[in-house]
Amino acid sequence: MKILVALKQVPDTETKIKVAADGRSLDPADVKWITSPYDEYALEEAIRTKESKGAEVVALSVGGDSTKDVLKNALALGADSAVLLRGDGQGDAFAVAQIIAGYAKDKAFDLILCGNKGLGGDNAAMGPMLAELLGIGQANVIVMLELSEGSFKAERETEGGSEIVEGALPAVITAQKGLNEPRYASLKGIMAAKKKTIEELDAVPVTTGTQIIALSLPPERPAGRKLEGDAAAQAQALIQALKDEAKVF
Amino acid sequence: MILVFCELKDGQIRKPSAEALSEGRRLADAAGKPLGALFAGASCAGSAEAAKYGADVILTAEGPTLASYSSDAFATVIADAVKAKGATVLLAAATAVGKDMAPRAAARLGAGYASDVTGLSIVDGKLQAIRPVYAGKAFATTTFASAVQVATTRPNVFPAAEKPGAGVAETLAAPVGDFKSVVKEILAKASGKVDLSEANVIVSGGRGMKDGTNFKILEALADAIGGVVGASRAAVDAGWGLPHSMQVGQTGKVVSPTLYIACGISGAIQHIAGMSGSKFIVAINKDSEAPIFKLANYGIVGDLFEVVPELTKAAKAMGIGKN
Ligand SMILES: Cc1cc2nc3c(=O)[nH]c(=O)nc-3n(C[C@H](O)[C@H](O)[C@H](O)COP(=O)(O)OP(=O)(O)OC[C@H]3O[C@@H](n4cnc5c(N)ncnc54)[C@H](O)[C@@H]3O)c2cc1C
Ligand SMILES: Cc1cc2nc3c(=O)[nH]c(=O)nc-3n(C[C@H](O)[C@H](O)[C@H](O)COP(=O)(O)OP(=O)(O)OC[C@H]3O[C@@H](n4cnc5c(N)ncnc54)[C@H](O)[C@@H]3O)c2cc1C
């Protein structure tokens, strides 16, 4: 079995967002970069499959020089090889899907694992777009995955519940928290990763579907009010205010 | 044409779809174009309701291949309808189904896709979207490079407004074929309660709840005011038996209710990212310096174990949540 894992480098969740001088992108100063958390579940699932069934795991990222950290980490965790598709930092989820489809189309991957959304971009779109471009099935927001010869069974999170999706391989599966518990890299893994090289390819130029023309911070919230008195008085005052001022009820 | 994919539940248009449809009507008026509502399923009984929200045309695709959800069958229906109608804008609600099929349909159409948008407008004849990024820490104004423009609308943001339309019914062929991935079984049916992402009122508990069983006081308050219960990651990860689906925040659900009540939640950046889009925020915390108070419209400094039951009592006494 051959598994491709798509990993995105994203700003750490602690990041305070500052808008760059161009008015439409994130100011990268002081930003700490991490692997998108959902992509960690995708990678872990690939490595577990390798351990239980035997598989070749290829880690892939579209990005620039700094993105190599994500791939080095993937190698340390157990990916067999890593590919950086070098881009210019422009482009949306559709562009990324086209780039990855261009790379993957003649490589006979049986399974492509992604995060269900890239932290930050938050489109939750790359996986389904990639599946469509490759003409294969998809299952998104997956918390359980079972692989058989040529087919898969997955549990997908929906509103207030879940459902079972079954389909043929190859397929794109996008991971949700709960799928597994990602491991930490071992010292041995880190040392072994140092000996592996990251294959670098130029991303095939593609068209993007959307463009961000402005990035802005949310409006300041109005100053709040603290309610005084004992618990009963505070509760009474709150319900009254929600009813009369906020008109929530 | 502006086309809106709508979901039915028990023969009625789901609320997030009604919201998308209403927004579609607004955009159609702005662009001077007709509005089409699109339904797919084994049966589309109930689709006529779309006229109430301004649909000029109601398109239905019915057939056994649409009885269970499959991303390729549904994407096929949608992409074919867009082509057949020459639609330039396709909207769907950002629900589990909408988010699964809209990007796939967009890719088939070679169209740009903006997910989970909170604002839409027509500028120089083209769609422009505002969407939260970094889980709501920032907003991106997004334009489309393609002729067809696809977006999913965040539930509970766009008002569902009644505005009668002609609602001319038209049927579409259901796709035939072998679908690559199909839903076989619905496991946990929602307990009649709305999902956090669609809820109008949310009562959330954090580490200050001390134990999972204490969440029953939040359930009681939520029941009294017509809300659903959420949690911080600290609470979900504490081993109290709370499912991840209850988690609000950057790595959980991003929510936008009218009212969010945070109980024993400090207000970490990752939690705030998921709920700062709420219209009204109430914080109940015993630490007056807790960062959550910076966001709160109303703050109660106190012990949640005393305050929450009093709130339930006060709400019941005032007859809240009877609607
Ligand atoms: C030419 C080019 C160069 C780029 N260079 C960079 C860069 O230097 N740094 C950067 O952060 N982004 C870069 N991007 C990526 C791009 O900005 C975003 O990935 C895109 O907007 C989608 O983001 P999202 O998080 O909303 O995707 P979503 O649709 O939410 O992502 C879902 C999943 O798709 C996969 N995925 C998404 N993006 C990538 C990616 N770039 N590589 C591998 N897997 C991915 C992940 O598994 C992710 O969990 C580049 C894109 C292009 C076209
Ligand atoms: C990668 C990453 C992703 C994350 N994603 C999320 C996410 O999606 N969602 C999320 O919520 N967090 C997330 N976090 C975690 C986040 O950083 C915080 O740790 C978490 O939000 C804290 O939860 P809390 O406020 O419940 O707990 P704490 O910060 O411990 O706060 C508990 C609060 O309860 C108050 N309290 C205690 N007892 C009482 C009482 N009797 N009455 C009233 N008040 C009381 C205390 O004063 C305190 O303010 C993430 C972290 C990381 C690193």
Side-chain angles (χ1 to χ4, degrees), chain A residues 43 150 162:
Chain A
L43 178 62
S162 67

Short mmCIF file of all heavy atoms in Angstrom, two decimals, chain A residues 43 150 162:
data_model
loop_
_atom_site.label_atom_id
_atom_site.label_comp_id
_atom_site.label_asym_id
_atom_site.label_seq_id
_atom_site.Cartn_x
_atom_site.Cartn_y
_atom_site.Cartn_z
N LEU A 43 -1.07 12.01 9.56
CA LEU A 43 0.25 11.36 9.50
C LEU A 43 0.29 10.15 10.43
O LEU A 43 0.79 9.07 10.06
CB LEU A 43 1.34 12.37 9.87
CG LEU A 43 2.77 11.82 9.89
CD1 LEU A 43 3.18 11.33 8.50
CD2 LEU A 43 3.76 12.88 10.39
N GLY A 150 -8.63 -2.85 -1.19
CA GLY A 150 -9.34 -2.06 -2.20
C GLY A 150 -10.53 -1.26 -1.70
O GLY A 150 -11.23 -0.63 -2.50
N SER A 162 -22.71 11.00 14.06
CA SER A 162 -21.71 10.55 13.11
C SER A 162 -22.35 9.56 12.14
O SER A 162 -23.47 9.11 12.36
CB SER A 162 -20.53 9.90 13.83
OG SER A 162 -20.94 8.70 14.44
#
